[in-house]
Amino acid sequence: MNALASFEALAADKLIDDDANYQWRVARAPTGLPKPEDFRWGVTDIPEPAPGEVLLKTLYLGLAPVMRMYMQGGGAAGEAALHPGDVIHGRGVAQIIKSRHADWHEGDIVQGQIGWQTYKVSAMTPAEKMFRCRNFGLPAMLSCKTLGMTGLSAHAGLFACGEPRAGDKMVLSGAAGGVGSIVSQLAANVAGCDVLGIAGGAKKCSIIRDLGCSAAIDYQADDVAAELATLRPDGIDLYFDNVGGNILSAVLERLAMRARITLCGSISEYAADAPYALTNYTRLRRTDSRMQGFFVYNHLDRWDAVMDELASYIHDGRLRPVQDIEQGFERMPLALAKLYTGGNIGTQLCSVRGEPGEWR
């Protein structure tokens, strides 16, 4: 039985209804890639909101590679560290079905820290980073990722940190992933960059060519360093890094003058025993280049402006949401495992109940 087949088996006998709160909890801290034994299914009563609280009914949940780090008790952005038995952290989209909070109303659609559960009582605190979902004439589903933290990550990493310029010879790793599939389109269709995408497998390389990339490197089949030399003979002006490791090292060997590197993620290292030891970072000095990390929660002050912008790009065709959707809450562990096996394309999410019946 392959890895994903074992996750299919984990989901097979589990169903939800609206009469209980279903949850996925940490069974043990993962070692290596996520395994079915790392997850525990739980069922509790639906909680009742106290004064100053609301009851949220989950519609969609998003998946991200960092969730494995949450399960290990680290990597959380202000959330409490997780231990065996705890509900797994995660952002999603939900509808308020009961409110005892003066500022939040029944029927509101919100996105924020819901966790892997089908209901949640929340005081809507700043720590949960809750936002009212705005109806742009687009599905509420998009607020889970493209019009959510994933979209903000792509926008902040590209524009605030990368400072793209028309004509930039750009390289983008993880180009078929959640952030990458947005960055490629914003860079090509909005900023006017020439984007060289890096992805795993012929299928993904074909897809990213339709998402703004002028060319693609298949890291599973190609010699990445050799392909960079061929496709970027005059150097790289801008690199958006989603993977870290050997690919980041190869890019550092091909920088143009005053190049910019944006560090968004390092999925190649998340399941490794030790961080990658980058030995050639001094290449930055030779070309007066810079390498800058960013943390999406440091850009929350621009939330409304960025969401307006991204929604306008969706409407005018410059941004096409690419979503990999698992149907059913029982498939959350499978959806996370796909991120580590290269099984997903675009933003990964789970439809728990689908679109709301009404949305103001």
Side-chain angles (χ1 to χ4, degrees), residues 15-22 43-48 55-59 95 97-98 117-119 329 352-354:
L15 296 173
I16 71 166
D17 54 36
D18 289 340
D19 299 326
N21 184 23
Y22 297 86
V43 184
T44 69
D45 292 336
I46 298 171
E48 282 293 326
L55 176 61
L56 300 171
K57 186 175 182 178
T58 309
L59 303 177
Q95 187 161 30
I97 60 170
K98 291 183 183 180
Q117 55 191 343
T118 60
Y119 290 95
F329 177 71
V352 178
R353 293 184 173 92

Coordinates of all heavy atoms in Angstrom, one line a residue, residues 15-22 43-48 55-59 95 97-98 117-119 329 352-354:
L15 N -17.5 9.7 8.6 CA -18.5 10.6 8.0 C -18.9 11.7 9.1 O -18.8 11.4 10.3 CB -19.8 9.9 7.5 CG -19.6 8.9 6.4 CD1 -20.9 8.1 6.2 CD2 -19.2 9.6 5.1
I16 N -19.3 12.9 8.6 CA -19.7 13.9 9.6 C -21.2 14.2 9.3 O -21.8 13.9 8.3 CB -18.9 15.2 9.4 CG1 -19.2 15.9 8.1 CG2 -17.4 14.9 9.5 CD1 -18.7 17.3 8.1
D17 N -21.8 14.8 10.4 CA -23.2 15.3 10.2 C -23.2 16.6 11.0 O -22.1 17.1 11.5 CB -24.2 14.3 10.7 CG -24.0 13.8 12.1 OD1 -23.5 14.6 13.0 OD2 -24.3 12.7 12.4
D18 N -24.3 17.2 11.2 CA -24.4 18.5 11.9 C -24.8 18.4 13.3 O -25.2 19.3 14.0 CB -25.4 19.4 11.1 CG -24.9 19.9 9.8 OD1 -23.7 19.9 9.6 OD2 -25.7 20.4 9.0
D19 N -24.8 17.1 13.8 CA -25.2 16.9 15.2 C -24.1 16.7 16.2 O -24.3 16.5 17.4 CB -26.1 15.6 15.2 CG -27.3 15.8 14.4 OD1 -27.9 16.9 14.3 OD2 -27.8 14.8 13.8
A20 N -22.9 16.8 15.7 CA -21.7 16.7 16.6 C -20.5 17.5 16.0 O -20.6 17.9 14.9 CB -21.3 15.2 16.8
N21 N -19.5 17.7 16.8 CA -18.3 18.4 16.4 C -17.2 17.3 16.1 O -16.8 16.6 17.0 CB -17.8 19.4 17.4 CG -16.6 20.2 17.0 OD1 -16.4 20.3 15.8 ND2 -15.9 20.7 17.9
Y22 N -16.9 17.2 14.9 CA -15.9 16.2 14.5 C -14.5 16.9 14.4 O -14.4 18.1 13.9 CB -16.2 15.6 13.1 CG -17.5 14.8 13.2 CD1 -18.8 15.5 13.1 CD2 -17.5 13.5 13.5 CE1 -20.0 14.8 13.2 CE2 -18.7 12.7 13.6 CZ -19.9 13.4 13.5 OH -21.1 12.7 13.6
V43 N -14.7 13.0 18.3 CA -16.1 13.4 18.2 C -16.5 14.0 19.5 O -16.3 13.3 20.5 CB -17.1 12.3 17.8 CG1 -18.5 12.9 17.6 CG2 -16.6 11.6 16.5
T44 N -17.0 15.2 19.5 CA -17.4 15.9 20.8 C -18.8 16.5 20.5 O -19.3 16.6 19.4 CB -16.5 17.0 21.3 OG1 -16.5 18.1 20.3 CG2 -15.0 16.4 21.3
D45 N -19.4 17.0 21.6 CA -20.6 17.8 21.5 C -20.3 19.1 20.8 O -19.2 19.7 20.9 CB -21.3 18.0 22.9 CG -21.8 16.7 23.5 OD1 -22.1 15.8 22.8 OD2 -21.9 16.7 24.8
I46 N -21.4 19.7 20.2 CA -21.2 21.0 19.6 C -21.2 22.0 20.8 O -22.1 22.0 21.6 CB -22.4 21.3 18.7 CG1 -22.4 20.3 17.5 CG2 -22.3 22.8 18.2 CD1 -23.6 20.4 16.6
P47 N -20.2 22.9 20.8 CA -20.1 23.8 22.0 C -21.1 24.9 21.9 O -21.6 25.2 20.8 CB -18.6 24.3 21.9 CG -18.3 24.2 20.4 CD -19.0 23.0 19.9
E48 N -21.4 25.6 23.0 CA -22.3 26.7 23.1 C -21.5 28.0 23.4 O -20.6 28.0 24.2 CB -23.3 26.5 24.2 CG -24.5 25.6 23.8 CD -25.4 26.2 22.7 OE1 -25.5 27.4 22.7 OE2 -25.9 25.4 21.9
L55 N -20.5 31.0 17.6 CA -20.3 29.6 17.2 C -20.1 29.6 15.7 O -21.0 30.1 14.9 CB -21.5 28.7 17.6 CG -21.5 27.3 17.1 CD1 -20.3 26.5 17.7 CD2 -22.8 26.6 17.4
L56 N -19.0 29.0 15.3 CA -18.6 28.9 13.9 C -18.9 27.5 13.3 O -18.6 26.5 13.9 CB -17.1 29.2 13.7 CG -16.7 30.6 14.1 CD1 -15.1 30.7 14.1 CD2 -17.3 31.7 13.3
K57 N -19.5 27.5 12.1 CA -19.7 26.2 11.4 C -18.8 26.2 10.2 O -18.9 27.0 9.3 CB -21.2 26.1 11.0 CG -21.6 24.8 10.3 CD -23.1 24.9 10.0 CE -23.6 23.5 9.5 NZ -25.1 23.5 9.2
T58 N -17.9 25.2 10.2 CA -16.8 25.2 9.2 C -17.4 24.9 7.8 O -18.1 23.9 7.6 CB -15.8 24.2 9.6 OG1 -15.4 24.4 11.0 CG2 -14.6 24.2 8.7
L59 N -16.9 25.6 6.8 CA -17.3 25.4 5.4 C -16.1 24.8 4.6 O -16.2 23.9 3.9 CB -17.7 26.7 4.8 CG -18.9 27.4 5.4 CD1 -19.2 28.8 4.7 CD2 -20.1 26.6 5.5
Q95 N -19.1 29.9 8.8 CA -20.2 30.8 9.0 C -20.6 30.9 10.4 O -20.6 29.9 11.1 CB -21.4 30.3 8.1 CG -22.6 31.3 8.1 CD -23.6 31.1 7.0 OE1 -23.7 29.9 6.5 NE2 -24.2 32.1 6.5
I97 N -23.1 30.9 13.1 CA -24.5 30.4 13.2 C -25.2 30.8 14.6 O -26.4 30.7 14.7 CB -24.6 28.9 13.0 CG1 -23.8 28.1 14.0 CG2 -24.2 28.5 11.6 CD1 -24.0 26.6 13.9
K98 N -24.4 31.2 15.6 CA -24.9 31.7 16.8 C -23.9 32.8 17.2 O -22.7 32.6 17.1 CB -25.0 30.7 17.9 CG -26.0 29.6 17.7 CD -26.0 28.7 18.9 CE -27.1 27.5 18.7 NZ -27.1 26.6 19.9
Q117 N -11.6 21.1 12.7 CA -12.8 20.7 13.4 C -14.0 21.3 12.6 O -13.9 22.3 11.9 CB -12.9 21.2 14.8 CG -12.6 22.6 15.1 CD -12.4 23.0 16.5 OE1 -12.7 22.2 17.4 NE2 -11.8 24.1 16.8
T118 N -15.2 20.7 12.8 CA -16.4 21.1 12.0 C -17.2 22.2 12.7 O -18.1 22.8 12.1 CB -17.2 19.9 11.7 OG1 -17.7 19.3 13.0 CG2 -16.5 18.9 10.9
Y119 N -16.9 22.5 14.0 CA -17.5 23.6 14.7 C -16.4 24.2 15.6 O -15.5 23.5 16.1 CB -18.7 23.2 15.6 CG -19.9 22.8 14.8 CD1 -20.2 21.5 14.6 CD2 -20.9 23.8 14.5 CE1 -21.4 21.1 13.9 CE2 -22.1 23.4 13.8 CZ -22.3 22.1 13.5 OH -23.4 21.7 12.8
F329 N -14.4 16.3 5.2 CA -13.5 16.6 6.3 C -12.7 15.4 6.7 O -11.6 15.5 7.1 CB -14.4 17.0 7.5 CG -13.6 17.3 8.8 CD1 -12.8 18.4 8.9 CD2 -13.7 16.4 9.8 CE1 -12.1 18.6 10.0 CE2 -13.0 16.7 11.0 CZ -12.2 17.8 11.1
V352 N -15.5 21.1 3.5 CA -16.1 20.5 4.6 C -17.6 20.4 4.4 O -18.3 19.4 4.5 CB -15.8 21.2 6.0 CG1 -16.5 20.5 7.1 CG2 -14.3 21.2 6.2
R353 N -18.2 21.6 4.1 CA -19.6 21.7 3.8 C -19.9 22.4 2.5 O -21.1 22.5 2.1 CB -20.4 22.3 5.0 CG -20.4 21.5 6.3 CD -21.2 22.2 7.3 NE -21.4 21.4 8.5 CZ -20.5 21.5 9.6 NH1 -19.5 22.3 9.5 NH2 -20.8 20.7 10.6
G354 N -19.0 23.0 1.9 CA -19.2 23.8 0.7 C -19.7 25.2 0.9 O -19.6 25.7 2.0

